Amino acid sequence: MESLFLEFHLKVSQISLEIQRYLVHQIDLNNRLIAIKGARGSGKTTLLLQVAKLHLPVKSTLYVSLDHIYFFDNKLYELAKQFSQFGGTHLLLDEVHKYPNWSREIKLIYDNFPELNVIFTSSSMLEIYKSESDLSRRAITYYLKELSFREFVLFETKKIFSAYSFTEILDDHNRIATQILAEIKPIPLFEKYLKIGVYPYYKENENVYIQKLQNTINLIIEIDINAVEELQYETLLKLKKLLITIASSVPFTPNITKLSEKIGASRNMLVQSIKILERAGLVNELYRDNSGIGVLTKPEKLYLNNSNLMYALAKDNTNIGNVRETFFLNQFNGLHEINLSETADFVIDKSYTFEIGGKNKTKKQIISTENAFVAKDGIEIGFGNIIPVWLFGFMY
């Protein structure tokens, strides 16, 4: 265990606090068992180490990734027992889905060592409440989204801007945009973000980012999905084929019969595969009404999870109108209810209708709709019910 402590202290001494994700100060550390889920590449490891450095007593804290070679010959439960006996208070566990029987041992740790606080990260694939050991009454779950446009601006310019709620943007977008414009030129930054700014590791080397993102997609399907679903290799290939099909024509209105023939999968398997890709943080399903959605309900439209995935998978087939819609959906996903609109593009919280478009987009489609807005690309500041689309990237 001593070597794990040395590795952790080296990591935490090297971790930078210059740029911090939105969740760093939102996690309630009074909870004894905390789960942080998120897609591969979203920054969960950095988040854990920053939380340790900022908020936890480092001398009685231990971070370890559960794919560490230590666990080839040692059990997680025994590590927690020994750590607790030495006065440990906070055990940070990274990538729990890579450890067999993780939920059973974490449950035992929670029940048997009441003085020990556990924070664990997992793939967005993992359904911790459906695991063999019921953690639903024990774990508080947070989801780490990809970089918002606001966070990307922080990465690029080192300028810290406040996050604004959806209603604040609706009610006061002109003033908010004016304040931001005093500090930055958002449009060129936004164009860059749409192509390469969604995952924090873009900063490592922008020139090979798309290639690394393609590698990440492969790892999500071959490692993360397989670790949870235990799928056959042939099925994994079908998932890749399905993802490429979706990417080439998003927003994609799935014809399940034709798609089943193209992918070589039954209807039920195809619908389940779409839902697996959504849980993995690769696609978003969209419906006109969320009520009555079952495990085998086909989505009315499919989008890739974010615009960077479009540039990585669709390449020359990427359409800027689809990119804008994908961005808008991604920024709202997990924060507000978002559905397809009968008259425009989206409905937020069943109350606000949005049409997404370029700077020449008119209000024609929403002219007779109450609480309707146009989110425009290519403009720095809006007026009335016309709002710059980039501003919705400042909600977290």
Side-chain angles (χ1 to χ4, degrees), residues 215-243:
N215 293 340
T216 299
I217 294 165
N218 276 326
L219 290 172
I220 289 172
I221 293 175
E222 295 175 3
I223 305 297
D224 297 350
I225 288 178
N226 202 34
V228 177
E229 295 290 333
E230 298 181 355
L231 301 176
Q232 294 182 348
Y233 181 69
E234 183 180 323
T235 304
L236 295 176
L237 289 178
K238 289 177 181 178
L239 283 178
K240 289 184 183 181
K241 194 172 181 180
L242 173 61
L243 187 62

PDB file of all heavy atoms in Angstrom, residues 215-243:
ATOM      1  N   ASN A 215      -9.766   7.385 -31.622  1.00  0.00           N
ATOM      2  CA  ASN A 215      -9.260   6.309 -30.763  1.00  0.00           C
ATOM      3  C   ASN A 215     -10.113   6.173 -29.509  1.00  0.00           C
ATOM      4  O   ASN A 215     -10.387   5.053 -29.044  1.00  0.00           O
ATOM      5  CB  ASN A 215      -7.805   6.577 -30.375  1.00  0.00           C
ATOM      6  CG  ASN A 215      -6.853   6.489 -31.547  1.00  0.00           C
ATOM      7  OD1 ASN A 215      -7.171   5.877 -32.570  1.00  0.00           O
ATOM      8  ND2 ASN A 215      -5.693   7.104 -31.424  1.00  0.00           N
ATOM      9  N   THR A 216     -10.533   7.306 -28.951  1.00  0.00           N
ATOM     10  CA  THR A 216     -11.385   7.292 -27.754  1.00  0.00           C
ATOM     11  C   THR A 216     -12.715   6.596 -28.041  1.00  0.00           C
ATOM     12  O   THR A 216     -13.204   5.810 -27.221  1.00  0.00           O
ATOM     13  CB  THR A 216     -11.647   8.732 -27.261  1.00  0.00           C
ATOM     14  OG1 THR A 216     -10.401   9.340 -26.909  1.00  0.00           O
ATOM     15  CG2 THR A 216     -12.575   8.741 -26.047  1.00  0.00           C
ATOM     16  N   ILE A 217     -13.293   6.882 -29.206  1.00  0.00           N
ATOM     17  CA  ILE A 217     -14.553   6.239 -29.590  1.00  0.00           C
ATOM     18  C   ILE A 217     -14.385   4.717 -29.643  1.00  0.00           C
ATOM     19  O   ILE A 217     -15.225   3.966 -29.146  1.00  0.00           O
ATOM     20  CB  ILE A 217     -15.039   6.783 -30.950  1.00  0.00           C
ATOM     21  CG1 ILE A 217     -15.410   8.267 -30.828  1.00  0.00           C
ATOM     22  CG2 ILE A 217     -16.247   5.987 -31.458  1.00  0.00           C
ATOM     23  CD1 ILE A 217     -15.554   8.973 -32.164  1.00  0.00           C
ATOM     24  N   ASN A 218     -13.277   4.279 -30.239  1.00  0.00           N
ATOM     25  CA  ASN A 218     -12.998   2.839 -30.296  1.00  0.00           C
ATOM     26  C   ASN A 218     -12.867   2.245 -28.910  1.00  0.00           C
ATOM     27  O   ASN A 218     -13.382   1.151 -28.635  1.00  0.00           O
ATOM     28  CB  ASN A 218     -11.710   2.579 -31.086  1.00  0.00           C
ATOM     29  CG  ASN A 218     -11.955   2.521 -32.578  1.00  0.00           C
ATOM     30  OD1 ASN A 218     -12.993   2.060 -33.032  1.00  0.00           O
ATOM     31  ND2 ASN A 218     -11.014   3.014 -33.355  1.00  0.00           N
ATOM     32  N   LEU A 219     -12.183   2.955 -28.009  1.00  0.00           N
ATOM     33  CA  LEU A 219     -12.001   2.450 -26.643  1.00  0.00           C
ATOM     34  C   LEU A 219     -13.323   2.402 -25.885  1.00  0.00           C
ATOM     35  O   LEU A 219     -13.560   1.483 -25.097  1.00  0.00           O
ATOM     36  CB  LEU A 219     -10.994   3.329 -25.894  1.00  0.00           C
ATOM     37  CG  LEU A 219      -9.538   3.221 -26.368  1.00  0.00           C
ATOM     38  CD1 LEU A 219      -8.672   4.275 -25.684  1.00  0.00           C
ATOM     39  CD2 LEU A 219      -8.983   1.829 -26.098  1.00  0.00           C
ATOM     40  N   ILE A 220     -14.189   3.394 -26.107  1.00  0.00           N
ATOM     41  CA  ILE A 220     -15.508   3.385 -25.451  1.00  0.00           C
ATOM     42  C   ILE A 220     -16.274   2.135 -25.851  1.00  0.00           C
ATOM     43  O   ILE A 220     -16.876   1.453 -25.009  1.00  0.00           O
ATOM     44  CB  ILE A 220     -16.308   4.650 -25.827  1.00  0.00           C
ATOM     45  CG1 ILE A 220     -15.701   5.890 -25.152  1.00  0.00           C
ATOM     46  CG2 ILE A 220     -17.780   4.509 -25.412  1.00  0.00           C
ATOM     47  CD1 ILE A 220     -16.313   7.203 -25.617  1.00  0.00           C
ATOM     48  N   ILE A 221     -16.247   1.815 -27.149  1.00  0.00           N
ATOM     49  CA  ILE A 221     -17.005   0.652 -27.633  1.00  0.00           C
ATOM     50  C   ILE A 221     -16.332  -0.658 -27.236  1.00  0.00           C
ATOM     51  O   ILE A 221     -16.989  -1.588 -26.728  1.00  0.00           O
ATOM     52  CB  ILE A 221     -17.182   0.728 -29.164  1.00  0.00           C
ATOM     53  CG1 ILE A 221     -18.091   1.912 -29.524  1.00  0.00           C
ATOM     54  CG2 ILE A 221     -17.785  -0.567 -29.713  1.00  0.00           C
ATOM     55  CD1 ILE A 221     -18.244   2.167 -31.008  1.00  0.00           C
ATOM     56  N   GLU A 222     -15.019  -0.752 -27.424  1.00  0.00           N
ATOM     57  CA  GLU A 222     -14.327  -2.021 -27.217  1.00  0.00           C
ATOM     58  C   GLU A 222     -14.021  -2.316 -25.751  1.00  0.00           C
ATOM     59  O   GLU A 222     -13.970  -3.489 -25.352  1.00  0.00           O
ATOM     60  CB  GLU A 222     -13.023  -2.038 -28.020  1.00  0.00           C
ATOM     61  CG  GLU A 222     -13.257  -2.000 -29.536  1.00  0.00           C
ATOM     62  CD  GLU A 222     -11.961  -1.888 -30.318  1.00  0.00           C
ATOM     63  OE1 GLU A 222     -10.872  -1.889 -29.679  1.00  0.00           O
ATOM     64  OE2 GLU A 222     -12.024  -1.786 -31.556  1.00  0.00           O
ATOM     65  N   ILE A 223     -13.811  -1.268 -24.940  1.00  0.00           N
ATOM     66  CA  ILE A 223     -13.436  -1.470 -23.541  1.00  0.00           C
ATOM     67  C   ILE A 223     -14.585  -1.133 -22.587  1.00  0.00           C
ATOM     68  O   ILE A 223     -15.050  -1.979 -21.822  1.00  0.00           O
ATOM     69  CB  ILE A 223     -12.194  -0.622 -23.168  1.00  0.00           C
ATOM     70  CG1 ILE A 223     -11.034  -0.921 -24.120  1.00  0.00           C
ATOM     71  CG2 ILE A 223     -11.798  -0.893 -21.714  1.00  0.00           C
ATOM     72  CD1 ILE A 223     -10.519  -2.338 -24.081  1.00  0.00           C
ATOM     73  N   ASP A 224     -15.067   0.119 -22.641  1.00  0.00           N
ATOM     74  CA  ASP A 224     -16.061   0.565 -21.661  1.00  0.00           C
ATOM     75  C   ASP A 224     -17.398  -0.152 -21.823  1.00  0.00           C
ATOM     76  O   ASP A 224     -17.967  -0.658 -20.856  1.00  0.00           O
ATOM     77  CB  ASP A 224     -16.257   2.082 -21.766  1.00  0.00           C
ATOM     78  CG  ASP A 224     -14.995   2.852 -21.436  1.00  0.00           C
ATOM     79  OD1 ASP A 224     -14.041   2.224 -20.944  1.00  0.00           O
ATOM     80  OD2 ASP A 224     -14.948   4.066 -21.674  1.00  0.00           O
ATOM     81  N   ILE A 225     -17.915  -0.169 -23.047  1.00  0.00           N
ATOM     82  CA  ILE A 225     -19.192  -0.852 -23.279  1.00  0.00           C
ATOM     83  C   ILE A 225     -19.055  -2.337 -22.979  1.00  0.00           C
ATOM     84  O   ILE A 225     -19.899  -2.940 -22.318  1.00  0.00           O
ATOM     85  CB  ILE A 225     -19.679  -0.628 -24.722  1.00  0.00           C
ATOM     86  CG1 ILE A 225     -20.147   0.826 -24.898  1.00  0.00           C
ATOM     87  CG2 ILE A 225     -20.813  -1.593 -25.080  1.00  0.00           C
ATOM     88  CD1 ILE A 225     -20.617   1.169 -26.305  1.00  0.00           C
ATOM     89  N   ASN A 226     -17.968  -2.920 -23.438  1.00  0.00           N
ATOM     90  CA  ASN A 226     -17.785  -4.358 -23.252  1.00  0.00           C
ATOM     91  C   ASN A 226     -17.605  -4.725 -21.782  1.00  0.00           C
ATOM     92  O   ASN A 226     -18.026  -5.800 -21.340  1.00  0.00           O
ATOM     93  CB  ASN A 226     -16.578  -4.848 -24.059  1.00  0.00           C
ATOM     94  CG  ASN A 226     -16.654  -6.331 -24.350  1.00  0.00           C
ATOM     95  OD1 ASN A 226     -17.738  -6.875 -24.550  1.00  0.00           O
ATOM     96  ND2 ASN A 226     -15.521  -6.991 -24.362  1.00  0.00           N
ATOM     97  N   ALA A 227     -16.979  -3.840 -20.997  1.00  0.00           N
ATOM     98  CA  ALA A 227     -16.787  -4.104 -19.573  1.00  0.00           C
ATOM     99  C   ALA A 227     -18.117  -4.188 -18.827  1.00  0.00           C
ATOM    100  O   ALA A 227     -18.246  -4.894 -17.828  1.00  0.00           O
ATOM    101  CB  ALA A 227     -15.916  -3.015 -18.948  1.00  0.00           C
ATOM    102  N   VAL A 228     -19.113  -3.484 -19.331  1.00  0.00           N
ATOM    103  CA  VAL A 228     -20.426  -3.453 -18.669  1.00  0.00           C
ATOM    104  C   VAL A 228     -21.395  -4.448 -19.294  1.00  0.00           C
ATOM    105  O   VAL A 228     -22.137  -5.149 -18.605  1.00  0.00           O
ATOM    106  CB  VAL A 228     -21.013  -2.023 -18.725  1.00  0.00           C
ATOM    107  CG1 VAL A 228     -22.414  -1.988 -18.119  1.00  0.00           C
ATOM    108  CG2 VAL A 228     -20.099  -1.048 -17.998  1.00  0.00           C
ATOM    109  N   GLU A 229     -21.392  -4.530 -20.620  1.00  0.00           N
ATOM    110  CA  GLU A 229     -22.388  -5.333 -21.323  1.00  0.00           C
ATOM    111  C   GLU A 229     -21.904  -6.749 -21.673  1.00  0.00           C
ATOM    112  O   GLU A 229     -22.711  -7.628 -21.938  1.00  0.00           O
ATOM    113  CB  GLU A 229     -22.801  -4.621 -22.617  1.00  0.00           C
ATOM    114  CG  GLU A 229     -23.511  -3.304 -22.389  1.00  0.00           C
ATOM    115  CD  GLU A 229     -24.907  -3.490 -21.811  1.00  0.00           C
ATOM    116  OE1 GLU A 229     -25.513  -4.551 -22.050  1.00  0.00           O
ATOM    117  OE2 GLU A 229     -25.382  -2.573 -21.121  1.00  0.00           O
ATOM    118  N   GLU A 230     -20.576  -6.953 -21.709  1.00  0.00           N
ATOM    119  CA  GLU A 230     -19.997  -8.252 -22.063  1.00  0.00           C
ATOM    120  C   GLU A 230     -20.558  -8.760 -23.397  1.00  0.00           C
ATOM    121  O   GLU A 230     -21.114  -9.846 -23.503  1.00  0.00           O
ATOM    122  CB  GLU A 230     -20.241  -9.288 -20.948  1.00  0.00           C
ATOM    123  CG  GLU A 230     -19.584  -8.911 -19.633  1.00  0.00           C
ATOM    124  CD  GLU A 230     -19.806  -9.954 -18.551  1.00  0.00           C
ATOM    125  OE1 GLU A 230     -20.547 -10.928 -18.803  1.00  0.00           O
ATOM    126  OE2 GLU A 230     -19.245  -9.789 -17.462  1.00  0.00           O
ATOM    127  N   LEU A 231     -20.382  -7.936 -24.418  1.00  0.00           N
ATOM    128  CA  LEU A 231     -20.915  -8.260 -25.734  1.00  0.00           C
ATOM    129  C   LEU A 231     -19.902  -9.049 -26.555  1.00  0.00           C
ATOM    130  O   LEU A 231     -18.690  -8.964 -26.345  1.00  0.00           O
ATOM    131  CB  LEU A 231     -21.254  -6.964 -26.484  1.00  0.00           C
ATOM    132  CG  LEU A 231     -22.273  -6.043 -25.805  1.00  0.00           C
ATOM    133  CD1 LEU A 231     -22.437  -4.766 -26.602  1.00  0.00           C
ATOM    134  CD2 LEU A 231     -23.616  -6.744 -25.647  1.00  0.00           C
ATOM    135  N   GLN A 232     -20.407  -9.814 -27.514  1.00  0.00           N
ATOM    136  CA  GLN A 232     -19.531 -10.547 -28.424  1.00  0.00           C
ATOM    137  C   GLN A 232     -18.885  -9.563 -29.398  1.00  0.00           C
ATOM    138  O   GLN A 232     -19.429  -8.499 -29.694  1.00  0.00           O
ATOM    139  CB  GLN A 232     -20.320 -11.614 -29.185  1.00  0.00           C
ATOM    140  CG  GLN A 232     -20.862 -12.724 -28.299  1.00  0.00           C
ATOM    141  CD  GLN A 232     -21.605 -13.780 -29.099  1.00  0.00           C
ATOM    142  OE1 GLN A 232     -21.914 -13.583 -30.276  1.00  0.00           O
ATOM    143  NE2 GLN A 232     -21.889 -14.902 -28.464  1.00  0.00           N
ATOM    144  N   TYR A 233     -17.735  -9.962 -29.937  1.00  0.00           N
ATOM    145  CA  TYR A 233     -16.985  -9.092 -30.851  1.00  0.00           C
ATOM    146  C   TYR A 233     -17.840  -8.697 -32.053  1.00  0.00           C
ATOM    147  O   TYR A 233     -17.806  -7.542 -32.496  1.00  0.00           O
ATOM    148  CB  TYR A 233     -15.711  -9.803 -31.317  1.00  0.00           C
ATOM    149  CG  TYR A 233     -14.864  -8.964 -32.243  1.00  0.00           C
ATOM    150  CD1 TYR A 233     -14.188  -7.836 -31.774  1.00  0.00           C
ATOM    151  CD2 TYR A 233     -14.745  -9.293 -33.588  1.00  0.00           C
ATOM    152  CE1 TYR A 233     -13.413  -7.051 -32.613  1.00  0.00           C
ATOM    153  CE2 TYR A 233     -13.967  -8.512 -34.445  1.00  0.00           C
ATOM    154  CZ  TYR A 233     -13.310  -7.399 -33.949  1.00  0.00           C
ATOM    155  OH  TYR A 233     -12.552  -6.632 -34.789  1.00  0.00           O
ATOM    156  N   GLU A 234     -18.632  -9.612 -32.560  1.00  0.00           N
ATOM    157  CA  GLU A 234     -19.493  -9.331 -33.715  1.00  0.00           C
ATOM    158  C   GLU A 234     -20.500  -8.238 -33.387  1.00  0.00           C
ATOM    159  O   GLU A 234     -20.794  -7.372 -34.216  1.00  0.00           O
ATOM    160  CB  GLU A 234     -20.219 -10.617 -34.128  1.00  0.00           C
ATOM    161  CG  GLU A 234     -21.083 -10.459 -35.374  1.00  0.00           C
ATOM    162  CD  GLU A 234     -21.792 -11.756 -35.740  1.00  0.00           C
ATOM    163  OE1 GLU A 234     -21.187 -12.829 -35.575  1.00  0.00           O
ATOM    164  OE2 GLU A 234     -22.946 -11.680 -36.176  1.00  0.00           O
ATOM    165  N   THR A 235     -21.008  -8.246 -32.167  1.00  0.00           N
ATOM    166  CA  THR A 235     -21.963  -7.223 -31.740  1.00  0.00           C
ATOM    167  C   THR A 235     -21.287  -5.858 -31.629  1.00  0.00           C
ATOM    168  O   THR A 235     -21.873  -4.829 -31.994  1.00  0.00           O
ATOM    169  CB  THR A 235     -22.601  -7.604 -30.395  1.00  0.00           C
ATOM    170  OG1 THR A 235     -23.203  -8.898 -30.506  1.00  0.00           O
ATOM    171  CG2 THR A 235     -23.656  -6.594 -29.973  1.00  0.00           C
ATOM    172  N   LEU A 236     -20.044  -5.845 -31.141  1.00  0.00           N
ATOM    173  CA  LEU A 236     -19.299  -4.592 -31.034  1.00  0.00           C
ATOM    174  C   LEU A 236     -19.072  -3.978 -32.415  1.00  0.00           C
ATOM    175  O   LEU A 236     -19.152  -2.758 -32.591  1.00  0.00           O
ATOM    176  CB  LEU A 236     -17.964  -4.825 -30.336  1.00  0.00           C
ATOM    177  CG  LEU A 236     -18.040  -5.264 -28.867  1.00  0.00           C
ATOM    178  CD1 LEU A 236     -16.641  -5.553 -28.331  1.00  0.00           C
ATOM    179  CD2 LEU A 236     -18.729  -4.218 -28.007  1.00  0.00           C
ATOM    180  N   LEU A 237     -18.799  -4.826 -33.401  1.00  0.00           N
ATOM    181  CA  LEU A 237     -18.641  -4.338 -34.768  1.00  0.00           C
ATOM    182  C   LEU A 237     -19.934  -3.713 -35.282  1.00  0.00           C
ATOM    183  O   LEU A 237     -19.921  -2.702 -35.991  1.00  0.00           O
ATOM    184  CB  LEU A 237     -18.203  -5.478 -35.690  1.00  0.00           C
ATOM    185  CG  LEU A 237     -16.765  -5.984 -35.515  1.00  0.00           C
ATOM    186  CD1 LEU A 237     -16.505  -7.144 -36.468  1.00  0.00           C
ATOM    187  CD2 LEU A 237     -15.756  -4.866 -35.751  1.00  0.00           C
ATOM    188  N   LYS A 238     -21.067  -4.318 -34.923  1.00  0.00           N
ATOM    189  CA  LYS A 238     -22.369  -3.771 -35.336  1.00  0.00           C
ATOM    190  C   LYS A 238     -22.622  -2.413 -34.675  1.00  0.00           C
ATOM    191  O   LYS A 238     -23.225  -1.515 -35.283  1.00  0.00           O
ATOM    192  CB  LYS A 238     -23.479  -4.758 -35.004  1.00  0.00           C
ATOM    193  CG  LYS A 238     -23.463  -6.007 -35.887  1.00  0.00           C
ATOM    194  CD  LYS A 238     -24.538  -6.997 -35.485  1.00  0.00           C
ATOM    195  CE  LYS A 238     -24.482  -8.243 -36.379  1.00  0.00           C
ATOM    196  NZ  LYS A 238     -25.478  -9.256 -36.012  1.00  0.00           N
ATOM    197  N   LEU A 239     -22.166  -2.251 -33.431  1.00  0.00           N
ATOM    198  CA  LEU A 239     -22.300  -0.954 -32.761  1.00  0.00           C
ATOM    199  C   LEU A 239     -21.514   0.120 -33.508  1.00  0.00           C
ATOM    200  O   LEU A 239     -21.986   1.248 -33.689  1.00  0.00           O
ATOM    201  CB  LEU A 239     -21.804  -1.052 -31.310  1.00  0.00           C
ATOM    202  CG  LEU A 239     -22.712  -1.719 -30.290  1.00  0.00           C
ATOM    203  CD1 LEU A 239     -22.035  -1.759 -28.924  1.00  0.00           C
ATOM    204  CD2 LEU A 239     -24.049  -1.006 -30.174  1.00  0.00           C
ATOM    205  N   LYS A 240     -20.297  -0.221 -33.933  1.00  0.00           N
ATOM    206  CA  LYS A 240     -19.482   0.738 -34.697  1.00  0.00           C
ATOM    207  C   LYS A 240     -20.169   1.099 -36.010  1.00  0.00           C
ATOM    208  O   LYS A 240     -20.208   2.270 -36.408  1.00  0.00           O
ATOM    209  CB  LYS A 240     -18.098   0.143 -34.977  1.00  0.00           C
ATOM    210  CG  LYS A 240     -17.200   0.043 -33.758  1.00  0.00           C
ATOM    211  CD  LYS A 240     -15.823  -0.460 -34.174  1.00  0.00           C
ATOM    212  CE  LYS A 240     -14.919  -0.639 -32.976  1.00  0.00           C
ATOM    213  NZ  LYS A 240     -13.570  -1.110 -33.362  1.00  0.00           N
ATOM    214  N   LYS A 241     -20.704   0.091 -36.681  1.00  0.00           N
ATOM    215  CA  LYS A 241     -21.377   0.317 -37.956  1.00  0.00           C
ATOM    216  C   LYS A 241     -22.602   1.206 -37.768  1.00  0.00           C
ATOM    217  O   LYS A 241     -22.871   2.112 -38.560  1.00  0.00           O
ATOM    218  CB  LYS A 241     -21.780  -1.027 -38.568  1.00  0.00           C
ATOM    219  CG  LYS A 241     -22.178  -0.971 -40.033  1.00  0.00           C
ATOM    220  CD  LYS A 241     -22.380  -2.366 -40.600  1.00  0.00           C
ATOM    221  CE  LYS A 241     -22.744  -2.318 -42.070  1.00  0.00           C
ATOM    222  NZ  LYS A 241     -22.954  -3.689 -42.634  1.00  0.00           N
ATOM    223  N   LEU A 242     -23.335   0.966 -36.691  1.00  0.00           N
ATOM    224  CA  LEU A 242     -24.514   1.774 -36.382  1.00  0.00           C
ATOM    225  C   LEU A 242     -24.115   3.219 -36.109  1.00  0.00           C
ATOM    226  O   LEU A 242     -24.757   4.156 -36.588  1.00  0.00           O
ATOM    227  CB  LEU A 242     -25.240   1.181 -35.173  1.00  0.00           C
ATOM    228  CG  LEU A 242     -26.416   1.983 -34.599  1.00  0.00           C
ATOM    229  CD1 LEU A 242     -27.510   2.162 -35.636  1.00  0.00           C
ATOM    230  CD2 LEU A 242     -26.972   1.285 -33.348  1.00  0.00           C
ATOM    231  N   LEU A 243     -23.041   3.413 -35.358  1.00  0.00           N
ATOM    232  CA  LEU A 243     -22.592   4.758 -35.017  1.00  0.00           C
ATOM    233  C   LEU A 243     -22.182   5.532 -36.268  1.00  0.00           C
ATOM    234  O   LEU A 243     -22.524   6.720 -36.416  1.00  0.00           O
ATOM    235  CB  LEU A 243     -21.421   4.675 -34.033  1.00  0.00           C
ATOM    236  CG  LEU A 243     -20.941   5.999 -33.440  1.00  0.00           C
ATOM    237  CD1 LEU A 243     -22.043   6.659 -32.627  1.00  0.00           C
ATOM    238  CD2 LEU A 243     -19.701   5.777 -32.579  1.00  0.00           C
TER     239      LEU A 243
END
